[in-house]
Amino acid sequence: MLRIAAGVIGIVLLAAVFALLVVRVFTIKDVIVDAPLMSIELDKTKIGKNLLFLPTDKLRADLLNNYPLLADVRFEKRYPDTLIVHLVRRNVFAVLRSEGNVYALDERGLVLGGVSDAQGYPTLEFRAGILSIGGTVRHPGVLSALAFIKQLNGSPPVSRIFERDSLSIQAISGHTNIFLPQIGDMSVKADTLQTIVEGFRIKGTLPTVIDLRHEKPIITN
């Protein structure tokens, strides 16, 4: 019995020493935040203390919830005591001119911030109000324009979309004017446009106007 008791005590002591070593050796001493083009300060006290038992899934979910401008969060563990947090910013998909301001938007209409140079991105022109960073645009015309551009995937390229009237929007692709409804299935409209453009490209010329507001497209050369 004494031998058994001594053996149990020895195992317990060894486990305690091992646990103490794990806690001390893998205690996080340095947290590095890798956040290109962003100024984000993380509360390092909420990250955790031990590199081995870091709850990365929960931390990632919390960060994405608290910082809507983030597209992804990745954790890199450099043993024994360093954690690198890689923060990935959402990409600019289009820019919106509204009430004298220019906003960068992602493909879902999330406002990423103000911009001074809209070159290289499709430009949307709508009266969508004054917007705040991290908010989402609710204007139906803006959301339809974003969905339309996304479905086209650059073919044909669209440089500008603006509000034509309360029911329709107008897109510019080269010298072609495309009329669209403000609401509706933009994937169907985009597919129809691509089919029309491909047919005209075979002929060597593109139409001046493609009206997709009705069941059947109206084309004007």
Side-chain angles (χ1 to χ4, degrees), residues 1-199:
M1 291 296 293
L2 290 175
R3 288 183 178 181
I4 295 175
V8 171
I9 293 173
I11 292 172
V12 170
L13 288 175
L14 285 174
V17 171
F18 177 75
L20 183 60
L21 287 174
V22 168
V23 170
R24 288 187 176 181
V25 172
F26 296 104
T27 295
I28 298 175
K29 296 179 181 178
D30 193 13
V31 177
I32 300 172
V33 179
D34 173 34
L37 304 177
M38 291 182 286
S39 297
I40 295 180
E41 292 290 335
L42 300 184
D43 186 353
K44 297 177 182 179
T45 62
K46 294 183 179 180
I47 290 179
K49 296 181 179 181
N50 192 280
L51 201 59
L52 281 180
F53 307 111
L54 197 69
T56 53
D57 289 342
K58 181 180 183 304
L59 288 173
R60 180 179 182 275
D62 289 343
L63 287 171
L64 291 176
N65 182 60
N66 293 329
Y67 299 96
L69 299 187
L70 296 179
D72 195 12
V73 178
R74 294 182 291 106
F75 297 93
E76 179 184 350
K77 299 177 180 180
R78 289 188 179 176
Y79 293 104
D81 56 16
T82 300
L83 174 68
I84 303 176
V85 184
H86 298 280
L87 304 179
V88 182
R89 192 177 190 271
R90 293 185 182 276
N91 292 324
V92 178
F93 184 74
V95 296
L96 169 65
R97 297 184 183 275
S98 175
E99 310 298 341
N101 298 303
V102 184
Y103 304 96
L105 305 180
D106 78 344
E107 63 183 26
R108 300 183 306 161
L110 186 75
V111 182
L112 304 178
V115 294
S116 57
D117 185 7
Q119 187 173 2
Y121 299 104
T123 300
L124 314 182
E125 299 174 9
F126 291 84
R127 292 183 177 178
I130 304 297
L131 306 173
S132 59
I133 297 175
T136 301
V137 181
R138 301 298 181 188
H139 193 291
V142 175
L143 297 178
S144 292
L146 291 171
F148 183 68
I149 295 171
K150 181 180 179 181
Q151 183 66 26
L152 288 176
N153 195 28
S155 180
V158 171
S159 59
R160 179 174 170 234
I161 298 183
F162 56 91
E163 190 169 24
R164 183 175 174 84
D165 53 49
S166 60
L167 297 177
S168 60
I169 60 180
Q170 182 173 341
I172 306 296
S173 176
H175 298 291
T176 302
N177 296 278
I178 305 149
F179 300 151
L180 299 157
Q182 281 219 29
I183 57 175
D185 189 345
M186 289 297 115
S187 62
V188 173
K189 301 299 182 183
D191 291 344
T192 300
L193 176 64
Q194 288 176 325
T195 300
I196 293 172
V197 169
E198 185 62 28

